[in-house]
Amino acid sequence: MAQQERARATREKIVDGAALTFYRLGYGLATTGDIAKEAGVTRGAMYFHFQSKEDLARAVIAKEQSLALSASSHIHARNRSALETMIILCADLAQRLLADPVVRAGVRLTTEVTNFDPPLRSPYDEWMRTFSHLAAQAIADGDFGSDVNPEKFARFLIPTFTGIQLVSDTYTGREDLLQRVREMWEYILPSVVPANRLEIARGWLDEIVPDLTGD
């Protein structure tokens, strides 16, 4: 059991080192030597657990997805409305992109690597399923108009959020990401929320992602 625990700890150490390396250098420039050095392990120890750089990247993405699933479960457990939950999920991911190297690396790999086989679609698929389900619930709650198509909404919102965080990373290292997320929802809400619910929805947005600009 002690040997198994040491092996598990070494594997986690390698994954964390890979996350730091992939986020700093990107998938293309990172080498397995860089990762072993960052993790503080020998290349032999690294290759005992992972056969290739792609295996390491997939392990980082898997850990990021596990963290996202755990965060999502906690957010759903708050029993807020579906619309509030969607805003909270976006704000939570933005905050974790600012603070968690595994999340930063996982998202960078997901958006950067296009030549894996099979392709890295699962993170997008999971987010779009979640937001499609929440949009359908928001329609049932009366917080979205009945003419909103849940699947189309999810296919719009997830790429929009992805683009916002990429541009925020380029311009400010994501320092302005929460404000950009707020602006995204400021434009989305009037398009999907019925007029008689719009002020309530804007109040939820103010509570979850306060406007820090004073505009």
Side-chain angles (χ1 to χ4, degrees), residues 91-107:
D92 174 76
L93 180 55
Q95 289 166 336
R96 288 187 295 114
L97 277 164
L98 292 169
D100 192 321
V102 172
V103 174
R104 291 198 300 264
V107 169

PDB file of all heavy atoms in Angstrom, residues 91-107:
ATOM      1  N   ALA A  91     -18.452  32.458 -13.999  1.00  0.00           N
ATOM      2  CA  ALA A  91     -17.609  33.226 -13.080  1.00  0.00           C
ATOM      3  C   ALA A  91     -16.629  32.313 -12.348  1.00  0.00           C
ATOM      4  O   ALA A  91     -15.467  32.668 -12.142  1.00  0.00           O
ATOM      5  CB  ALA A  91     -18.478  33.983 -12.076  1.00  0.00           C
ATOM      6  N   ASP A  92     -17.095  31.124 -11.973  1.00  0.00           N
ATOM      7  CA  ASP A  92     -16.225  30.183 -11.260  1.00  0.00           C
ATOM      8  C   ASP A  92     -15.055  29.746 -12.141  1.00  0.00           C
ATOM      9  O   ASP A  92     -13.909  29.712 -11.687  1.00  0.00           O
ATOM     10  CB  ASP A  92     -17.035  28.964 -10.819  1.00  0.00           C
ATOM     11  CG  ASP A  92     -16.159  27.885 -10.190  1.00  0.00           C
ATOM     12  OD1 ASP A  92     -15.756  28.069  -9.027  1.00  0.00           O
ATOM     13  OD2 ASP A  92     -15.878  26.880 -10.876  1.00  0.00           O
ATOM     14  N   LEU A  93     -15.333  29.422 -13.399  1.00  0.00           N
ATOM     15  CA  LEU A  93     -14.248  29.017 -14.288  1.00  0.00           C
ATOM     16  C   LEU A  93     -13.275  30.169 -14.503  1.00  0.00           C
ATOM     17  O   LEU A  93     -12.051  29.961 -14.529  1.00  0.00           O
ATOM     18  CB  LEU A  93     -14.794  28.528 -15.627  1.00  0.00           C
ATOM     19  CG  LEU A  93     -13.738  28.082 -16.651  1.00  0.00           C
ATOM     20  CD1 LEU A  93     -12.815  27.016 -16.063  1.00  0.00           C
ATOM     21  CD2 LEU A  93     -14.401  27.570 -17.925  1.00  0.00           C
ATOM     22  N   ALA A  94     -13.795  31.379 -14.631  1.00  0.00           N
ATOM     23  CA  ALA A  94     -12.916  32.541 -14.789  1.00  0.00           C
ATOM     24  C   ALA A  94     -11.994  32.680 -13.580  1.00  0.00           C
ATOM     25  O   ALA A  94     -10.789  32.928 -13.723  1.00  0.00           O
ATOM     26  CB  ALA A  94     -13.751  33.806 -14.974  1.00  0.00           C
ATOM     27  N   GLN A  95     -12.541  32.523 -12.383  1.00  0.00           N
ATOM     28  CA  GLN A  95     -11.725  32.641 -11.172  1.00  0.00           C
ATOM     29  C   GLN A  95     -10.689  31.530 -11.087  1.00  0.00           C
ATOM     30  O   GLN A  95      -9.541  31.772 -10.689  1.00  0.00           O
ATOM     31  CB  GLN A  95     -12.638  32.631  -9.942  1.00  0.00           C
ATOM     32  CG  GLN A  95     -13.463  33.901  -9.805  1.00  0.00           C
ATOM     33  CD  GLN A  95     -14.601  33.752  -8.807  1.00  0.00           C
ATOM     34  OE1 GLN A  95     -15.079  32.652  -8.530  1.00  0.00           O
ATOM     35  NE2 GLN A  95     -15.052  34.880  -8.259  1.00  0.00           N
ATOM     36  N   ARG A  96     -11.064  30.316 -11.489  1.00  0.00           N
ATOM     37  CA  ARG A  96     -10.107  29.214 -11.435  1.00  0.00           C
ATOM     38  C   ARG A  96      -9.035  29.362 -12.508  1.00  0.00           C
ATOM     39  O   ARG A  96      -7.898  28.929 -12.318  1.00  0.00           O
ATOM     40  CB  ARG A  96     -10.836  27.878 -11.540  1.00  0.00           C
ATOM     41  CG  ARG A  96     -11.606  27.559 -10.259  1.00  0.00           C
ATOM     42  CD  ARG A  96     -12.217  26.183 -10.218  1.00  0.00           C
ATOM     43  NE  ARG A  96     -13.241  25.997 -11.222  1.00  0.00           N
ATOM     44  CZ  ARG A  96     -13.142  25.162 -12.233  1.00  0.00           C
ATOM     45  NH1 ARG A  96     -12.057  24.429 -12.396  1.00  0.00           N
ATOM     46  NH2 ARG A  96     -14.120  25.034 -13.096  1.00  0.00           N
ATOM     47  N   LEU A  97      -9.364  29.983 -13.628  1.00  0.00           N
ATOM     48  CA  LEU A  97      -8.351  30.272 -14.641  1.00  0.00           C
ATOM     49  C   LEU A  97      -7.306  31.259 -14.122  1.00  0.00           C
ATOM     50  O   LEU A  97      -6.164  31.259 -14.566  1.00  0.00           O
ATOM     51  CB  LEU A  97      -9.012  30.826 -15.900  1.00  0.00           C
ATOM     52  CG  LEU A  97      -9.590  29.789 -16.866  1.00  0.00           C
ATOM     53  CD1 LEU A  97     -10.538  30.453 -17.861  1.00  0.00           C
ATOM     54  CD2 LEU A  97      -8.478  29.051 -17.597  1.00  0.00           C
ATOM     55  N   LEU A  98      -7.711  32.100 -13.190  1.00  0.00           N
ATOM     56  CA  LEU A  98      -6.777  33.049 -12.593  1.00  0.00           C
ATOM     57  C   LEU A  98      -5.898  32.402 -11.525  1.00  0.00           C
ATOM     58  O   LEU A  98      -4.781  32.875 -11.276  1.00  0.00           O
ATOM     59  CB  LEU A  98      -7.543  34.217 -11.964  1.00  0.00           C
ATOM     60  CG  LEU A  98      -8.258  35.154 -12.938  1.00  0.00           C
ATOM     61  CD1 LEU A  98      -9.192  36.095 -12.179  1.00  0.00           C
ATOM     62  CD2 LEU A  98      -7.255  35.952 -13.750  1.00  0.00           C
ATOM     63  N   ALA A  99      -6.379  31.321 -10.897  1.00  0.00           N
ATOM     64  CA  ALA A  99      -5.715  30.822  -9.689  1.00  0.00           C
ATOM     65  C   ALA A  99      -5.134  29.425  -9.793  1.00  0.00           C
ATOM     66  O   ALA A  99      -4.206  29.100  -9.044  1.00  0.00           O
ATOM     67  CB  ALA A  99      -6.723  30.845  -8.524  1.00  0.00           C
ATOM     68  N   ASP A 100      -5.640  28.588 -10.679  1.00  0.00           N
ATOM     69  CA  ASP A 100      -5.275  27.172 -10.663  1.00  0.00           C
ATOM     70  C   ASP A 100      -4.448  26.814 -11.895  1.00  0.00           C
ATOM     71  O   ASP A 100      -4.961  26.866 -13.017  1.00  0.00           O
ATOM     72  CB  ASP A 100      -6.544  26.317 -10.618  1.00  0.00           C
ATOM     73  CG  ASP A 100      -6.241  24.857 -10.319  1.00  0.00           C
ATOM     74  OD1 ASP A 100      -5.241  24.342 -10.836  1.00  0.00           O
ATOM     75  OD2 ASP A 100      -7.023  24.232  -9.579  1.00  0.00           O
ATOM     76  N   PRO A 101      -3.180  26.420 -11.735  1.00  0.00           N
ATOM     77  CA  PRO A 101      -2.338  26.114 -12.893  1.00  0.00           C
ATOM     78  C   PRO A 101      -2.840  24.929 -13.699  1.00  0.00           C
ATOM     79  O   PRO A 101      -2.643  24.883 -14.920  1.00  0.00           O
ATOM     80  CB  PRO A 101      -0.966  25.834 -12.277  1.00  0.00           C
ATOM     81  CG  PRO A 101      -1.218  25.560 -10.837  1.00  0.00           C
ATOM     82  CD  PRO A 101      -2.429  26.338 -10.470  1.00  0.00           C
ATOM     83  N   VAL A 102      -3.470  23.948 -13.049  1.00  0.00           N
ATOM     84  CA  VAL A 102      -3.996  22.802 -13.793  1.00  0.00           C
ATOM     85  C   VAL A 102      -5.149  23.243 -14.694  1.00  0.00           C
ATOM     86  O   VAL A 102      -5.243  22.813 -15.849  1.00  0.00           O
ATOM     87  CB  VAL A 102      -4.446  21.685 -12.830  1.00  0.00           C
ATOM     88  CG1 VAL A 102      -5.173  20.576 -13.587  1.00  0.00           C
ATOM     89  CG2 VAL A 102      -3.245  21.106 -12.093  1.00  0.00           C
ATOM     90  N   VAL A 103      -6.025  24.097 -14.185  1.00  0.00           N
ATOM     91  CA  VAL A 103      -7.134  24.598 -14.993  1.00  0.00           C
ATOM     92  C   VAL A 103      -6.604  25.431 -16.153  1.00  0.00           C
ATOM     93  O   VAL A 103      -7.047  25.281 -17.302  1.00  0.00           O
ATOM     94  CB  VAL A 103      -8.110  25.415 -14.120  1.00  0.00           C
ATOM     95  CG1 VAL A 103      -9.188  26.070 -14.983  1.00  0.00           C
ATOM     96  CG2 VAL A 103      -8.745  24.520 -13.065  1.00  0.00           C
ATOM     97  N   ARG A 104      -5.642  26.305 -15.877  1.00  0.00           N
ATOM     98  CA  ARG A 104      -5.067  27.125 -16.945  1.00  0.00           C
ATOM     99  C   ARG A 104      -4.447  26.255 -18.038  1.00  0.00           C
ATOM    100  O   ARG A 104      -4.649  26.490 -19.228  1.00  0.00           O
ATOM    101  CB  ARG A 104      -4.012  28.073 -16.371  1.00  0.00           C
ATOM    102  CG  ARG A 104      -4.572  29.174 -15.494  1.00  0.00           C
ATOM    103  CD  ARG A 104      -3.575  30.295 -15.330  1.00  0.00           C
ATOM    104  NE  ARG A 104      -2.327  29.846 -14.714  1.00  0.00           N
ATOM    105  CZ  ARG A 104      -2.068  29.942 -13.418  1.00  0.00           C
ATOM    106  NH1 ARG A 104      -2.979  30.439 -12.589  1.00  0.00           N
ATOM    107  NH2 ARG A 104      -0.913  29.539 -12.926  1.00  0.00           N
ATOM    108  N   ALA A 105      -3.694  25.248 -17.614  1.00  0.00           N
ATOM    109  CA  ALA A 105      -3.038  24.373 -18.587  1.00  0.00           C
ATOM    110  C   ALA A 105      -4.057  23.540 -19.357  1.00  0.00           C
ATOM    111  O   ALA A 105      -3.941  23.374 -20.580  1.00  0.00           O
ATOM    112  CB  ALA A 105      -2.043  23.461 -17.883  1.00  0.00           C
ATOM    113  N   GLY A 106      -5.045  22.993 -18.659  1.00  0.00           N
ATOM    114  CA  GLY A 106      -6.055  22.178 -19.327  1.00  0.00           C
ATOM    115  C   GLY A 106      -6.809  22.959 -20.385  1.00  0.00           C
ATOM    116  O   GLY A 106      -7.044  22.466 -21.494  1.00  0.00           O
ATOM    117  N   VAL A 107      -7.177  24.183 -20.053  1.00  0.00           N
ATOM    118  CA  VAL A 107      -7.905  25.016 -21.011  1.00  0.00           C
ATOM    119  C   VAL A 107      -6.996  25.399 -22.174  1.00  0.00           C
ATOM    120  O   VAL A 107      -7.415  25.388 -23.340  1.00  0.00           O
ATOM    121  CB  VAL A 107      -8.484  26.262 -20.309  1.00  0.00           C
ATOM    122  CG1 VAL A 107      -9.010  27.265 -21.332  1.00  0.00           C
ATOM    123  CG2 VAL A 107      -9.603  25.841 -19.358  1.00  0.00           C
TER     124      VAL A 107
END
